[in-house]
Amino acid sequence: MSDLRSKCLHWTTSPAAKQILEVTTVMLLMMLGWTSCWSVLGDQCLPGSNIFGILVSCVCGKLLGMLLGLLKIPPLIGMITAGILFRNVPKVNIAQEIDVGWSSTLRTGAFVILLLRAGLGLKLDILRKNKVLVACLSVLPCVVEVIIIASVSRPLLHLPWNWALLLGFVIAGVSPAVVIPSMLSLIDRGYGGRAGVPTLLMAAATADNAFTITGFSVVLTFVFPESSHLALVVLRGPIEIVLGGVCGVILGYILSYLPPKSPNQASVQTLLLSLAGFGCVFGLKRATYSGAGVLAALVMSTVAAQTWQTKTEISGALQKLWLVGETLLFTLVGAQVELSLLNYRIVGYGLVCLAVGVLLRCSVAFLSVHCSSLQIKEKLFMCASWTPKATVQAAIGSIALDRVRETLPEDKTAELYGVTVLCVAVLAIIVTSPPGAALISLLGPKLLDFKSEEVQPIRLRDTDNDKTDASAGLNDVDKSNENFQIA
C-alpha cells in the first residue's frame, strides 16, 4: 500500500498529471459551485437561467483556455472563443440567458482586480529615473495609433468622430496580460539585465494602460454626454482626471499606513485594497464619474504599494483572484459578441484599421526610443513587444455597447456603433495576442543580453552622436559623448 501511495505521489508531480489535476479541480469547482448556488437559490440555477449560463460558460471558457495554454496559445483566446460559441451556436447558446446587468457588473469587478494589479506593478522609481523614455514609449505610440485608427475607421466603418476616437482608444492599449508575464519570464531566465529593458517595458505598459483608460473615459463623456451644455461636456474630462487622481492619492496615502503590523497584515491589506478599489470604481460610477473611478483605483494601488513591505504577498493574492477574474472578463466579453450583427464590411475594414494602427504604433515606438543609449536590437525588441492587445480591449471594449443598451435602448444606430467597437476589439485580441506573445518569446532570447546583473542607466544621446551610434553597430554609445541620464 505504501509503494502504491508513493507511486501516486510521484505521478502527481509530472507535468501531465498537473494538467489533469487542474482540469479535475475546475470540474469539481463547477459542480460544487453550482450545487451550492442551487441549494440557496433553487430554480434560478437550473438550465435556462442567468446563473447557469454564467457558470457553464465561464467554466468551459476556463477549460478551453487551459487546453490552448498547452499549445502555447494565450488562454484568453479560448475564453473569448467559448463565450462567442455559447452566445451564437444553436442548441448550446446558453449565454443568451445571461442578464446584461450581471454581465456588466462581473466584468467591471474583474477589471478592478486588473487595475489593482497594474498599480502594484507600476514602479515609481523606474518611472522617475526614466520618466522621459517611459512617457515617450507609453504616450506617443498610443496617441498616433488613436489618431490613425480614428481617421481610417471613420470612412471605412462609417463611424462619427466621437465613436471613431472611442474605437481608437479601445484598440490602442498594449496588453499587460501578455506583456508583463512574458517580461517576467525573460527576467527569470536572465535576459535584459544590462539596461533593464523588461522592467522598463512593464512600467511603460502599465503607464500606457493608464493613459489609454483615461483617454477612453474622457472620450466616453463626449459619446454619452451627461449634460446638453457644451462647456460642461468639455470640462467633464479634466474634472474626472483631477477627481480620480485626488481620490486615488488620498486613499492610497491612508492605506499606506494601515493596518498596524500583525501576522496577517498582508491579508488585511489585500482586503482593504480590494474593497477600496471596488468602492472607487462602483461608487464613482454610481455618481456618473466612471472614468474617475477607474483612475482612482489605479492611482490608489500605486501610492499604497510604495510603503507596503508585503507587496509581494498582496500581488500574489491578487494574482489568485485574477485567475477567476480573467475567466469572467474574457468569457463574458466573448458572450457579448453577436455574430448575426457582423458583416464582411466590419470584419474586413476592422482588420485594415488594425493593420495600419499596429504598423504605425511599432514605427513610432522605435522612433520614441531611437535617441536613447539602447542597442538597436533592444529597440527592435521593444517594438515587437508593443504589438499584443488583449486586456484593455476585453475590459473596455463592451462598455460603450453596455451604455447604449442602458441609456439608449431604442437607438439601433448607436447600438450598431457599439457592436462595431466591440467586434473590432475582439478582432484585435484574436489577431494580435497570439503573434505578439510568440514574438516576445522568440525574440527575447535573441535580442536581449543574457545574465547581465549590472543594470546600466538608459541615457539620451544628442542627435550629433547618431553617426557614432551607427558606426558602432550594436555596441553601446560612447560614454564620453555629452549624454545625460533621464532623471
Side-chain angles (χ1 to χ4, degrees):
M1 182 64 69
S2 60
D3 291 340
L4 178 61
R5 179 178 176 83
S6 62
K7 290 181 179 179
C8 291
L9 291 175
H10 178 71
W11 176 79
T12 57
T13 60
S14 64
K18 289 182 179 180
Q19 298 297 331
I20 295 174
L21 291 175
E22 286 182 2
V23 173
T24 305
T25 302
V26 171
M27 298 299 295
L28 182 60
L29 287 173
M30 172 185 174
M31 295 174 61
L32 293 176
W34 180 85
T35 302
S36 300
C37 291
W38 175 79
S39 63
V40 175
L41 301 175
D43 293 345
Q44 297 182 40
C45 297
L46 295 178
S49 67
N50 172 47
I51 297 177
F52 183 84
I54 293 174
L55 185 62
V56 174
S57 298
C58 290
V59 170
C60 292
K62 183 67 174 180
L63 292 174
L64 185 56
M66 292 169 61
L67 178 62
L68 293 185
L70 297 176
L71 303 176
K72 306 302 181 183
I73 299 175
L76 60 90
I77 301 297
M79 300 173 194
I80 292 176
T81 302
I84 294 175
L85 294 177
F86 281 116
R87 177 75 179 188
N88 298 278
V89 176
K91 306 297 183 181
V92 295
N93 51 356
I94 58 176
Q96 291 189 356
E97 305 296 333
I98 297 177
D99 182 75
V100 174
W102 278 62
S103 176
S104 178
T105 300
L106 290 173
R107 283 184 280 111
T108 303
F111 186 40
V112 172
I113 299 173
L114 178 63
L115 288 172
L116 298 179
R117 290 188 64 212
L120 289 175
L122 192 60
K123 301 181 183 300
L124 294 183
D125 55 340
I126 296 177
L127 292 178
R128 283 193 293 264
K129 293 177 181 178
N130 303 288
K131 56 187 176 183
V132 175
L133 191 62
V134 170
C136 291
L137 190 59
S138 58
V139 174
L140 292 181
C142 181
V143 170
V144 170
E145 188 172 10
V146 168
I147 295 174
I148 292 300
I149 289 180
S151 302
V152 174
S153 63
R154 176 168 164 74
L156 294 182
L157 297 174
H158 304 301
L159 295 176
W161 271 115
N162 53 357
W163 280 94
L165 286 171
L166 192 74
L167 175 63
F169 276 107
V170 168
I171 301 303
V174 71
S175 172
V178 177
V179 172
I180 292 179
S182 300
M183 296 303 149
L184 290 175
S185 176
L186 290 173
I187 292 174
D188 292 339
R189 289 184 287 166
Y191 290 102
R194 184 193 66 85
V197 171
T199 304
L200 178 65
L201 283 171
M202 287 192 293
T206 307
D208 174 274
N209 278 214
F211 177 78
T212 302
I213 293 170
T214 303
F216 171 83
S217 302
V218 172
V219 176
L220 197 66
T221 62
F222 289 90
V223 178
F224 301 97
E226 300 289 340
S227 173
S228 58
H229 298 287
L230 179 61
L232 294 178
V233 174
V234 173
L235 291 175
R236 187 175 178 84
I239 289 173
E240 292 209 8
I241 295 175
V242 174
L243 178 61
V246 170
C247 290
V249 170
I250 292 174
L251 285 173
Y253 187 78
I254 294 174
L255 290 180
S256 64
Y257 291 97
L258 297 175
K261 290 185 178 180
S262 62
N264 59 345
Q265 185 180 19
S267 300
V268 176
Q269 287 174 331
T270 302
L271 182 60
L272 285 173
L273 185 66
S274 301
L275 292 177
F278 283 107
C280 287
V281 173
F282 285 100
L284 289 175
K285 180 181 180 182
R286 177 73 66 177
T288 69
Y289 289 97
S290 56
V294 169
L295 185 59
L298 182 66
V299 173
M300 176 196 64
S301 178
T302 304
V303 173
Q306 301 310 306
T307 58
W308 280 348
Q309 301 299 319
T310 57
K311 185 167 68 172
T312 302
E313 291 86 344
I314 296 171
S315 180
L318 290 177
Q319 171 65 27
K320 294 177 182 178
L321 287 176
W322 177 241
L323 294 177
V324 178
E326 67 173 353
T327 305
L328 290 171
L329 177 60
F330 296 133
T331 304
L332 294 179
V333 163
Q336 291 291 304
V337 179
E338 295 188 41
L339 297 180
S340 60
L341 298 178
L342 287 178
N343 53 53
Y344 293 110
R345 181 178 62 83
I346 293 178
V347 175
Y349 288 147
L351 291 175
V352 172
C353 294
L354 287 174
V356 174
V358 170
L359 180 61
L360 287 175
R361 163 178 272 271
C362 292
S363 302
V364 175
F366 183 84
L367 294 176
S368 299
V369 297
H370 179 64
C371 292
S372 70
S373 61
L374 292 170
Q375 299 176 357
I376 294 295
K377 60 182 182 179
E378 291 170 333
K379 297 174 185 177
L380 293 175
F381 175 74
M382 296 177 85
C383 295
S385 302
W386 239 225
T387 57
K389 305 175 183 296
T391 320
V392 175
Q393 290 69 32
I396 66 178
S398 59
I399 289 179
L401 180 59
D402 291 340
R403 187 73 66 86
V404 169
R405 290 172 175 172
E406 291 174 3
T407 60
L408 304 170
E410 304 299 328
D411 192 340
K412 298 301 180 183
T413 301
E415 183 180 14
L416 179 60
Y417 293 156
V419 169
T420 300
V421 171
L422 175 60
C423 291
V424 177
V426 173
L427 283 174
I429 297 171
I430 296 174
V431 171
T432 65
S433 183
L439 277 176
I440 295 174
S441 178
L442 293 175
L443 296 181
K446 298 180 182 298
L447 300 180
L448 298 180
D449 291 331
F450 178 66
K451 294 296 182 184
S452 178
E453 298 297 335
E454 180 183 359
V455 178
Q456 301 177 3
I458 301 173
R459 302 175 182 272
L460 292 181
R461 55 182 171 80
D462 298 331
T463 53
D464 293 339
N465 294 329
D466 290 349
K467 296 180 180 179
T468 303
D469 182 58
S471 63
L474 299 179
N475 295 326
D476 293 332
V477 178
D478 188 353
K479 293 184 179 180
S480 64
N481 294 329
E482 294 182 358
N483 298 335
F484 61 96
Q485 182 177 355
I486 307 172

